[in-house]
Amino acid sequence: MSLPSSVRLVEVGPRDGLQNEKQPIGVNDKIHLINQLSASGLGYIEVGSFVSPQWVPQMAGSAEVFAGIEQRDGVIYAALTPNLKGLEGAIAAGVKEIAVFAAASESFSQRNINCSIAQSIQRFVPVLELAKAQGINVRGYVSCVLGCPYEGAIAPEQVAAVARELYTLGCYEVSLGDTIGVGTPGQTRRLIETVAVDIPRDKLAGHFHDTYGQALANIYASLLEGISVFDSSIAGLGGCPYAKGATGNVATEDVLYLMNGLGIETGVKLDALIEAGAGICSVLGRETGSRVARAQQ
Ligand code: HMG
Ligand code: MG
């Protein structure tokens, strides 16, 4: 299969990147980051989540962040919502796109959202109904698609079954999450081939954490499998609070460099991304996780 001519980058840094940070990050710092990301040409930014503040304290200010950002035409500003209460919070904050998240592993589902996979799917039914009634688009995530921190290997068929449930419920796109960043390109290709039996490839996205340094290789493998939407995090920030040892998503700057080198259109400006990454890293007092940003310092 030939490479796509364009790719859509889904920026998850303000949510997946920051959710794991222990130090408090001010609402204004988050707003500034999101405005910079918008200005770089990114078309999709995951701004925050409407989850329990007891579970993920860092996301507690998401409504204030939504109220403060400058929303550009043509850019999607999305939030994670695990249940109806989350969706109601998102609606009150004027959110126009949400994401629901299920897991391919029972143990991870319990640790992350305190219910079984089947219960989570049942919870999403009214979420999707209300979202549809409000004209809100819903994206779906499946976590632990290439391995689970509690169960180890996960069968591609199990991922395919959960992805199919989300797609059938009405998620317009399903993002396949290598939550702990353990997968390698051969596994990635087999996974996509299995999931794509039931879901068209243009309705799938790749969400690779870079724990084992395999994320860019997995993205390239996904491109060869006909995937053209990728989630990434500015400066490679992040991890998941319920997946010990999981590092950040692949850095957006590094994915962009790869796409630029392959001649694949994204509409995103690398200089602007590097500046946004430098800004949030100075807030966090941390070196960037982006190899490209480091090389260009
Ligand atoms: P629970 O404790 O089972 O919920 O948590 P509950 O329904 O029993 O309610 C308990 C309390 O939480 C109640 O408050 C509710 O009102 C409140 P109380 O009466 O005790 O004062 N509550 C909420 N508050 C705010 N917003 C809500 C909400 N829901 C209930 N939406 C729950 C279940 C799902 C809420 C909890 O487990 C939770 O919030 N989990 C979130 C976990 C999370 O955000 N994980 C990180 C994101 S997933 C990820 O990173 C993976 C991804 O990147 C892809 C990949 O990498 O693979 C997407
Ligand atoms: Mg993630």
Side-chain angles (χ1 to χ4, degrees), residues 15-16 19 179 207 209 239-240 249:
R15 193 280 304 169
D16 207 355
Q19 70 183 7
T179 318
H207 177 109
H209 287 255
C240 177
N249 294 76

Side-chain angles (χ1 to χ4, degrees), residues 7-92:
V7 147
R8 190 156 62 85
L9 298 183
V10 171
E11 172 58 47
V12 297
R15 193 280 304 169
D16 207 355
L18 298 183
Q19 70 183 7
N20 210 30
E21 292 294 331
K22 299 283 175 288
Q23 55 176 309
I25 304 161
V27 166
N28 286 338
D29 288 326
K30 292 181 182 176
I31 291 170
H32 183 62
L33 169 64
I34 293 160
N35 287 344
Q36 280 185 303
L37 292 168
S38 291
S40 75
L42 285 160
Y44 191 117
I45 302 173
E46 214 169 63
V47 168
S49 15
F50 291 82
V51 297
S52 161
Q54 270 79 46
W55 285 62
V56 187
Q58 189 63 255
M59 290 291 111
S62 291
E64 286 90 330
V65 177
F66 268 98
I69 55 176
E70 182 196 322
Q71 300 212 8
R72 294 190 174 224
D73 286 348
V75 179
I76 295 170
Y77 299 90
L80 247 60
T81 59
N83 53 19
L84 261 182
K85 188 175 168 80
L87 175 56
E88 283 156 9
I91 291 170

Side-chain angles (χ1 to χ4, degrees), residues 103-110 117 143-144 148-151 154 158:
S105 137
E106 282 296 349
S107 318
F108 187 77
S109 185
Q110 289 292 347
I117 299 170
S143 289
C144 298
C148 166
Y150 311 106
E151 294 181 14
I154 297 290
Q158 170 69 10

Side-chain angles (χ1 to χ4, degrees), residues 117-127 169:
I117 299 170
Q119 283 168 331
S120 74
I121 300 292
Q122 280 316 306
R123 258 183 213 175
F124 298 151
V125 172
V127 172
L169 275 185

Side-chain angles (χ1 to χ4, degrees), residues 45-275:
I45 302 173
E46 214 169 63
V47 168
S49 15
F50 291 82
V51 297
S52 161
Q54 270 79 46
W55 285 62
V56 187
Q58 189 63 255
M59 290 291 111
S62 291
E64 286 90 330
V65 177
F66 268 98
I69 55 176
E70 182 196 322
Q71 300 212 8
R72 294 190 174 224
D73 286 348
V75 179
I76 295 170
Y77 299 90
L80 247 60
T81 59
N83 53 19
L84 261 182
K85 188 175 168 80
L87 175 56
E88 283 156 9
I91 291 170
V95 176
K96 302 281 186 325
E97 166 136 349
I98 61 160
V100 294
F101 45 110
S105 137
E106 282 296 349
S107 318
F108 187 77
S109 185
Q110 289 292 347
R111 305 277 182 123
N112 193 40
I113 49 176
N114 205 24
C115 64
S116 68
I117 299 170
Q119 283 168 331
S120 74
I121 300 292
Q122 280 316 306
R123 258 183 213 175
F124 298 151
V125 172
V127 172
L128 272 116
E129 274 168 10
L130 178 58
K132 195 173 170 206
Q134 298 276 330
I136 293 173
N137 287 329
V138 186
R139 194 170 191 247
Y141 279 106
V142 184
S143 289
C144 298
V145 299
L146 293 168
C148 166
Y150 311 106
E151 294 181 14
I154 297 290
E157 292 73 19
Q158 170 69 10
V159 179
V162 179
R164 193 167 50 230
E165 298 257 32
L166 292 177
Y167 189 62
T168 310
L169 275 185
C171 293
Y172 72 89
E173 181 173 284
V174 179
S175 179
L176 301 173
D178 184 8
T179 318
I180 53 170
V182 289
T184 48
Q187 289 172 294
T188 299
R189 293 195 75 159
R190 277 193 296 282
L191 172 70
I192 293 166
E193 277 156 19
T194 308
V195 178
V197 170
D198 294 314
I199 304 181
R201 288 166 198 244
D202 64 357
K203 305 291 181 203
L204 294 173
H207 177 109
F208 296 103
H209 287 255
D210 201 27
T211 319
Y212 284 76
Q214 304 296 302
L216 284 179
N218 288 331
I219 288 176
Y220 190 67
S222 305
L223 285 171
L224 294 173
E225 284 294 333
I227 304 302
S228 58
V229 181
F230 295 101
D231 305 352
S232 61
S233 174
I234 189 73
L237 296 174
C240 177
Y242 302 102
K244 193 169 174 292
T247 61
N249 294 76
V250 63
T252 310
E253 299 91 318
D254 299 3
V255 179
L256 180 59
Y257 184 85
L258 173 67
M259 298 306 161
N260 287 347
L262 291 169
I264 295 175
E265 192 53 51
T266 59
V268 184
K269 294 186 284 293
L270 184 58
D271 288 358
L273 272 189
I274 290 179
E275 201 181 317

